[in-house]
Every structure is written in structure tokens, then in C-alpha cells.
């Protein structure tokens, strides 16, 4: 009903692009560095040029002074808290564009064919309006001139050109953003998926229980009847499970995954949910627990010692519309730094996994890290794109890893586009019962050279003084009891890379800093819901940042630009 009303009542076909993405990247970097707990976020950065045309459609006004801007911001925030709203905006589709999904489109391309911001006018960017978000880490989405933003204590709809609130729902919330489908806004938080009418913010009564789907609880109670709701509390989910991502939506199907590996979850869960009813369509366990789980025969012998835990899914997966496949990456096994009770390569952790959209069956997989001991989880979700190689169109997928390496595969088969070489790595360990895997996959270029990484693979010289006495350890050295310096810590964080079809380049944001890491033997003593990394992890130097452009057809790095601070929110092309 809501979808039909939305189709009939749409104001126009598109809306303004959320150029605030540029600022949100900077904001997330500041938030992760811990320098502030709350900021006034500049949610819309615009040029005083053609973007003004959008504003002129509603009111003619000159740029505000700083005092006027702050006063207007305070009034908007007060109105949002009180539940006041302004009418839905009317937009001009000729001068506007939508950003309806977390990463813009189903391919996670983060590409928009707009040319208003370029190297000649970037210095003219100015704040048009501000909105207080607290500590939100969400990427806003924009549909038909309305910007939707998830907060820690609500979901808000704003007029994208003015920042004035259209509606606010304080009973709903999401972690890293929302997704949009056919007039409905979907968000996920703790153990709930919620559906809101995008025009009014009201819960969609036909979805789940009065707008809230609790299929995760139902799945957990069936799979793990020994887990109790009080084990970890409803806020974090049963046994440490929780949603920590913006859902993905296509053709009536919602895809959402669960974290948190460090809470020792017995396999991350990927759920397909009916977008109309909120009912479960299928489930996939990233760490198969028994013969009833998809992929059991593939993965069962890759876990030896009694522990089959971890494998959270942090980010929004991509969907290939033509093949109706879901493309995702899976995070690290648990315990992080002690693998003595999970000997083997630990499938499907630290891997690309491609599933059938309608079935949840595995199409293919490719593991980036074998038997992870460094928290090198595959947190960056895949970007899908097409390439021309030797005159042939090749469908590809790419994702980076916290180890600073970029993996580029044929998305139809999972076969690397260029060689990925199993390379010998250090295996000596002080952890009783540990068996470090002797090789790791290292991406190479078409010419046979190792690809240029996003981050140094040996600790830098720019260390905090208190870490100067610790040994500097080679790449992939297992952590020790007394501690050593490893690099990188988070070479590529969770923000998705972007692909530009005209340049045929992939743009990847990197973070470059070492870490002090220790190993604390825990064996098989942890229980689901018990947070543990099985060792210490401390940043040992300031984070340096960079953005690099890669030719995915060859694996060659085309250029690299250094940044101050390490970006987390990915890139935008």
C-alpha cells in the first residue's frame, strides 16, 4: 500500500546528491581518532554555483553569515527534537540526483556522474547548512530532495537543500545508515530491522510486528536454544550478535548481516528478509556449524580444535542485478590473536563470499587471509564493476583488507584477474597449541610483481616514544606474549572503494600506522557474547592517510596522494 501511494504521490524522480559525503569522511576520521566525542556535523557542502539553483527553487536567499547559520541550525535542531516538520520538498529532476543506497547503487560503486565539484572550484566549497548529529557514523541517503539520516537515538528526514527537519522518529534507530526501497526506509540496529514510511517516518504496520522485524532473534533461538536474552542483553543481541550495518535492498529483498566477531559469535549470520512482510527468506552462516548449514562440506575440516566462532559481517554487501547474486566479505575468526583452538584456514572468515539472492546458496568464495591472527578482517565490502581486457568485457569485483592489500577477482567465478601468489610467511609462535598457516595470498600485477600496498608492511619510524623499545616484526609474524610492533594496523578500513567507469580506475582510501600487539592464550575458554581479542592492541604511531588509484585490469597503481590522518569512510567518484 505504501509503495503504491509513494509511486502515485512522488514529487519528482530524483533529488539532490549528498555532497556532505566529503565532510562525513573527514568527520568519521576525527571520530575514530577519538579527539572529540560529539561534533556539529556539516551535513551539506555546496558550491555557490549551480547547486544554488536547487535552493532557488524553494527560496531566494544569499549565503548566510556564520551567526545566521548557527542560529538557523539551532532552530532546526530544536524543531527536530520537538517533532515539528516542514512539508516534503519539491525538486527539479534536471538539476538533482538521488543517493538512495548506502554506497549509492547496488554495485557499491560510489560513483555519480556529476561535474559541479572539480579541481578548479574545490576551493569555493562552503557550508550551506548544519545539523547536529551527535556521534552518528552514518552515510546519509537522499531520495526526492529528502535526506535520511540515522542517529543513535532516532531517524531523521531533512530537506536536503535547507537542512530543516521533515520528520523524526525517536523510536527507530540505525547504526551506519539506512537504505531505501519503493517508498520505505529500512534501518537495522541491535537485533531489529525496522521499516518506516519514507514520507511520514511512521512505522510500516505490515512489516514484522508493527514495523519491526525480529527474525534475528527467531533464528538465534532456533540455532542456539541455550543462549538466553540476558546473556548479552537485547541492546547487543543474544550471544554477542548485533546488526552493525545499513541493509541492502533489491526487488523486495533486504540483505543484512550481523557482527561482532570479537564477541565470539558462533558464525556471523547473513539474513534475507522479505521487504513487505519482514519474514525470513533464508539464512547463511559465515562459519558453518553443522551439516544443516550451507557450505558445511567445504568448511568443516578447516576448523580443528573445537572452536568455530567469529566471521561477522560489518558492511553493506553488493548485489549483481543481472546474475541476482549477493557479494559480501566476511570478517575475522575468534579468538583474534590465539588460534590454538581453531587450527586450519577457518572458512569462510576473511573471505569473499558470493550467494544466490533468492536461495542463499554459495556461488563461489575466495579467502584473503588464512587462519587470521592479526584482526586483518575483510571489513571492506566489495565494489562491482566491468572492465575491458584484451577487447573483452570482464565482470569484476574488488575489496581491500586491513592488511593493506587489494584483491581483484572475476565476479562470475571468483578467479583472480591477476596472479595472487601463496607466499611463505613467518610461523614461529609462542602460543601453546598454535599452528600458524605457512603461506598467505599476496596479490600481484599482470606483470608478475607484488601489487603496491596501501600501507607499510613493516612498522614505521614515526612511533610514539613509549613503543620504541618493542621489536619490529616482519609482515604476518604471529603475535607474541611480550608484544611486538606489527604493520599495518588498518591498512584499508570499512569504507567502500569507488570505481569510475570513464577512467576505469578504482579509488581506494588507505590508513598507514603500526600497532603494538600481544597474544594472550585463551584456547577454547570463551563463550558466545564474551568480548575478547585474546591479546592487547595499541596504536603505536599517528595514523597517516592516502588515496590511491589502481588500474584493476593490471593491478598497477596509477597514482597515490598522501593525506593527514587516516580516512575510514571510503572514497567517492
Amino acid at each position: 500500500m505504501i509503495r503504491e501511494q509513494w509511486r502515485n504521490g512522488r514529487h519528482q524522480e530524483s533529488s539532490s546528491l549528498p555532497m556532505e559525503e566529503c565532510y562525513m569522511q573527514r568527520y568519521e576520521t576525527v571520530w575514530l581518532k577519538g579527539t572529540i566525542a560529539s561534533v556539529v556535523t556539516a551535513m551539506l557542502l555546496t558550491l555557490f554555483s549551480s547547486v544554488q539553483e536547487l535552493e532557488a527553487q524553494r527560496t531566494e536567499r544569499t549565503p548566510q553569515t556564520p551567526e545566521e547559520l548557527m542560529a538557523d541550525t539551532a532552530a532546526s535542531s530544536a524543531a527536530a527534537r520537538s517533532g515539528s516538520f516542514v512539508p516534503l520538498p519539491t525538486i527539479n529532476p534536471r538539476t538533482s540526483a538521488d543517493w538512495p543506497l548506502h554506497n549509492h547503487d547496488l554495485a557499491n560503486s560510489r560513483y555519480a556522474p556529476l561535474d559541479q565539484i572539480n579541481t578548479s572550484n574545490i576551493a569555493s566549497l562552503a557550508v550551506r547548512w548544519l545539523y547536529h548529529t551527535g556521534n552518528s557514523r552514518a552515510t546519509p541517503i537522499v531520495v526526492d530532495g529528502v535526506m535520511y539520516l540515522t542517529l543513535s537515538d532516532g531517524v531523521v528526514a531533512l530537506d536536503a537543500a535547507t537542512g530543516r527537519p521533515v520528520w523524526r522518529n525517536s523510536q527507530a534507530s540505525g547504526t551506519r545508515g539506512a537504505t531505501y526501497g519503493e517508498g520505505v526506509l529500512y534501518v537495522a540496529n541491535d537485533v531489529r530491522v525496522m521499516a518506516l514510511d519514507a514520507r511520514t517516518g511512521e512505522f510500516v504496520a505490515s512489516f514484522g510486528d508493527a514495523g519491526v522485524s525480529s527474525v534475528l532473534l527467531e533464528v538465534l533461538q532456533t540455532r542456539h536454544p541455550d543462549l538466553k536474552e540476558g546473556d548479552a542483553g537485547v541492546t547487543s543481541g543474544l550471544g554477542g550478535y548485533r546488526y552493525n550495518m545499513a541493509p541492502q535492498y533489491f526487488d523486495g529483498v533486504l540483505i543484512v548481516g550481523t557482527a561482532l566477531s570479537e564477541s565470539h559469535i558462533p558464525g556471523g549470520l547473513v539474513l534475507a528478509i522479505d521487504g513487505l512482510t519482514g519474514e525470513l527468506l533464508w539464512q547463511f552462516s559465515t562459519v558453518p556449524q553443522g551439516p544443516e548449514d550451507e557450505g558445511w562440506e567445504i568448511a568443516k575440516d578447516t576448523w580443528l580444535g573445537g572452536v568455530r566462532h567469529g566471521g561477522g559481517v560489518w558492511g553493506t554487501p553488493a548485489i549483481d542485478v543481472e546474475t541476482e547474486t549477493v557479494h559480501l566479505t566476511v570478517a575475522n575468526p575468534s579468538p583474534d590473536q590465539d588460534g590454538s583452538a581453531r587450527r586450519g584456514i577457518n572458512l569462510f572468515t576473511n573471505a569473499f563470499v558470493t550467494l544466490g539472492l533468492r536461495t542463499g546458496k554459495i556461488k563461489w568464495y575466495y579467502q584473503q587471509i588464512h587462519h587470521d591472527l592479526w584482526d586483518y578482517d575483510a571489513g571492506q565490502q566489495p565494489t562491482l564493476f566491468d572492465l575491458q581486457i584484451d577487447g573483452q568485457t570482464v565482470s569484476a569485483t574488488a575489496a581491500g583488507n586491513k592488511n593493506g592489500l587489494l584483491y581483484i577477482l572475476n565476479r562470475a567465478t571468483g578467479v583472480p584477474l591477476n596472479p595472487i601468489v601463496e607466499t611463505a610467511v613467518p610461523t614461529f609462535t609462542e602460543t601453546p597449541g598454535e599452528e600458524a598457516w605457512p603461506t598467505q595470498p599476496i596479490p600481484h600485477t599482470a606483470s608478475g610483481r607484488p601489487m603496491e600496498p596501501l600501507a607499510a608492511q613493516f612498522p614505521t619510524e614515526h612511533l610514539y616514544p613509549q613503543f620504541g623499545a618493542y621489536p619490529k616484526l616482519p609482515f604476518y609474524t604471529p603475535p607474541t606474549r611480550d608484544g611486538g610492533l606489527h604493520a599495518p594496523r588498518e591498512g584499508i578500513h570499512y569504507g567502500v572503494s569507488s570505481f569510475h567507469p570513464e577512467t576505469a580506475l578504482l579509488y581506494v582510501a588507505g590508513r598507514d600506522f603500526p600497532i603494538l600487539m600481544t597474544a594472550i592464550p585463551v584456547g577454547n575458554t570463551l563463550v558466545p557474547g564474551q568480548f575478547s581479542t585474546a591479546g592487547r592492541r595499541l596504536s603505536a604511531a599517528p595514523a597517516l592517510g592516502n588515496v590511491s588509484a589502481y588500474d584493476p585490469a593490471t593491478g598497477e597503481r596509477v597514482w597515490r596522494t598522501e593525506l593527514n590522518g587516516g580516512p575510514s569512510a571510503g572514497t567517492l567518484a
Side-chain angles (χ1 to χ4, degrees):
M1 182 65 176
I2 289 174
R3 289 167 171 77
E4 191 62 32
Q5 291 173 344
W6 186 265
R7 293 191 192 99
N8 296 335
R10 288 175 68 123
H11 292 263
Q12 293 291 350
E13 290 301 315
S14 58
S15 72
S16 57
L17 177 73
M19 297 177 188
E20 76 294 342
E21 184 71 16
C22 306
Y23 186 86
M24 286 299 291
Q25 176 170 328
R26 178 183 173 193
Y27 164 65
E28 287 203 25
T29 301
V30 173
W31 185 90
L32 285 167
K33 289 171 69 176
T35 56
I36 54 176
S38 177
V39 298
V40 177
T41 307
M43 292 303 303
L44 190 62
L45 299 180
T46 62
L47 289 170
F48 292 128
S49 58
S50 56
V51 176
Q52 282 188 306
E53 297 173 7
L54 179 60
E55 175 66 9
Q57 296 170 26
R58 304 174 202 180
T59 56
E60 293 290 341
R61 70 191 228 184
T62 58
Q64 295 171 292
T65 66
E67 293 76 14
E68 291 171 334
L69 185 63
M70 292 303 295
D72 198 30
T73 300
S76 296
S77 297
R81 289 193 297 271
S82 66
S84 300
F85 61 92
V86 297
L88 286 166
T90 300
I91 55 94
N92 184 345
R94 293 175 299 178
T95 58
S96 305
D98 282 355
W99 188 282
L101 301 174
H102 184 67
N103 293 307
H104 183 256
D105 53 29
L106 291 166
N108 281 353
S109 74
R110 300 179 69 84
Y111 165 76
L114 302 178
D115 58 6
Q116 291 176 338
I117 300 176
N118 53 54
T119 55
S120 68
N121 58 26
I122 187 70
S124 300
L125 282 175
V127 176
R128 173 55 59 87
W129 54 260
L130 301 172
Y131 185 83
H132 292 266
T133 66
N135 61 354
S136 173
R137 293 178 290 165
T139 296
I141 63 173
V142 175
V143 180
D144 291 342
V146 180
M147 177 180 291
Y148 301 98
L149 180 66
T150 60
L151 312 174
S152 59
D153 58 352
V155 179
V156 64
L158 308 174
D159 183 322
T162 67
R164 292 186 173 89
V166 175
W167 55 255
R168 176 176 178 136
N169 186 322
S170 297
Q171 295 178 301
S173 61
T175 50
R176 294 191 178 177
T179 194
Y180 171 90
E182 301 183 74
V184 178
L185 194 72
Y186 297 98
V187 296
N189 198 16
D190 47 67
V191 293
R192 302 168 297 159
V193 176
M194 291 155 275
L196 309 178
D197 185 325
R199 293 184 301 177
T200 66
E202 297 176 354
F203 284 101
V204 178
S206 59
F207 182 85
D209 182 7
V212 178
S213 174
S214 300
V215 294
L216 176 56
L217 287 177
E218 298 168 8
V219 168
L220 292 176
Q221 288 163 356
T222 300
R223 292 179 61 89
H224 308 289
D226 53 322
L227 294 179
K228 298 182 177 62
E229 188 165 333
D231 286 350
V234 72
T235 300
S236 59
L238 290 173
Y241 283 92
R242 72 182 191 218
Y243 296 124
N244 198 44
M245 59 178 282
Q248 187 64 284
Y249 177 89
F250 172 67
D251 195 24
V253 179
L254 281 169
I255 303 294
V256 62
T258 64
L260 173 71
S261 295
E262 282 73 20
S263 290
H264 204 58
I265 56 176
L269 292 172
V270 180
L271 306 179
I273 300 172
D274 189 309
L276 285 173
T277 67
E279 296 177 352
L280 180 70
L281 299 175
W282 52 258
Q283 59 178 287
F284 173 76
S285 176
T286 63
V287 180
Q289 300 294 303
E292 69 281 1
D293 286 336
E294 171 70 9
W296 170 252
E297 291 299 324
I298 300 172
K300 65 179 182 179
D301 295 328
T302 67
W303 298 80
L304 303 174
V307 168
R308 297 176 181 271
H309 292 69
V313 179
W314 280 88
T316 303
I319 293 178
D320 188 321
V321 174
E322 291 187 5
T323 61
E324 289 203 336
T325 47
V326 179
H327 296 257
L328 57 98
T329 53
V330 181
N332 53 292
S334 175
D336 291 28
Q337 286 136 247
D338 174 10
S340 61
R342 52 170 178 85
R343 300 183 303 278
I345 62 173
N346 305 148
L347 293 174
F348 296 98
T349 64
N350 296 87
F352 291 86
V353 178
T354 296
L355 307 173
L357 174 68
R358 308 296 178 183
T359 65
K361 302 296 183 183
I362 296 174
K363 299 296 184 179
W364 58 263
Y365 68 91
Y366 189 91
Q367 192 174 47
Q368 301 172 7
I369 311 287
H370 307 318
H371 191 75
D372 183 14
L373 297 172
W374 308 270
D375 188 38
Y376 281 157
D377 59 305
Q380 186 184 64
Q381 292 299 305
T383 303
L384 312 184
F385 50 92
D386 291 338
L387 292 172
Q388 291 295 316
I389 301 179
D390 297 330
Q392 301 292 320
T393 300
V394 177
S395 61
T397 180
N401 187 285
K402 284 185 179 179
N403 64 7
L405 300 179
L406 181 64
Y407 301 80
I408 308 169
L409 312 176
N410 184 308
R411 76 169 179 269
T413 64
V415 175
L417 292 190
N418 297 302
I420 297 183
V421 180
E422 289 288 341
T423 304
V425 295
T427 58
F428 174 76
T429 175
E430 301 173 345
T431 303
E434 179 66 86
E435 294 180 8
W437 202 257
T439 63
Q440 294 293 348
I442 305 298
H444 283 54
T445 66
S447 62
R449 297 180 295 104
M451 285 181 63
E452 293 286 346
L454 270 292
Q457 296 174 335
F458 190 78
T460 69
E461 300 298 326
H462 306 289
L463 301 173
Y464 294 128
Q466 63 267 38
F467 298 105
Y470 286 95
K472 299 177 181 178
L473 302 177
F475 192 41
Y476 278 129
T477 297
T480 62
R481 302 284 293 273
D482 293 333
L485 299 177
H486 300 252
R489 166 64 185 107
E490 293 174 344
I492 302 173
H493 214 214
Y494 59 80
V496 173
S497 301
S498 59
F499 178 80
H500 198 302
E502 295 181 11
T503 64
L505 297 179
L506 190 70
Y507 302 96
V508 190
R511 292 156 56 89
D512 197 346
F513 64 105
I515 185 173
L516 171 68
M517 183 177 292
T518 70
I520 299 175
V522 296
N524 63 355
T525 63
L526 301 181
V527 297
Q530 180 179 355
F531 185 91
S532 174
T533 58
R536 299 175 64 204
R537 295 201 293 255
L538 297 173
S539 297
L544 303 176
N546 60 79
V547 173
S548 296
Y550 287 87
D551 180 348
T554 64
E556 297 287 349
R557 188 173 71 191
V558 178
W559 55 257
R560 171 181 170 125
T561 298
E562 304 294 331
L563 304 174
N564 290 325
S568 295
T571 61
L572 170 67

